[in-house]
Amino acid sequence: MLKEGGQIFPRAIGGLFRRRVEELSGEGHILWPVLLPLISVHANVCGELEKA
């Protein structure tokens, strides 16, 4: 979604990915209401993978 809006960042995984998305968007960004649930799901999946 960010890429479609012209915001591109280098490849990242896990927590680094979430931080970069938050840095590029943040609460004031028009996509924030859509990105926030996706970031939450990403965090949960990463947490489950760390447990395995």
Side-chain angles (χ1 to χ4, degrees):
M1 286 184 201
L2 291 172
K3 184 177 178 182
E4 291 296 323
Q7 295 180 329
I8 301 172
F9 55 86
R11 184 177 171 100
I13 59 172
L16 179 58
F17 174 79
R18 288 190 302 278
R19 283 190 300 278
R20 286 190 175 165
V21 169
E22 291 170 359
E23 288 170 2
L24 283 174
S25 59
E27 294 180 23
H29 195 278
I30 192 167
L31 290 176
W32 188 246
V34 176
L35 293 173
L36 186 58
L38 296 173
I39 291 171
S40 176
V41 169
H42 183 267
N44 288 331
V45 169
C46 287
E48 290 298 317
L49 289 173
E50 288 175 2
K51 292 179 188 176

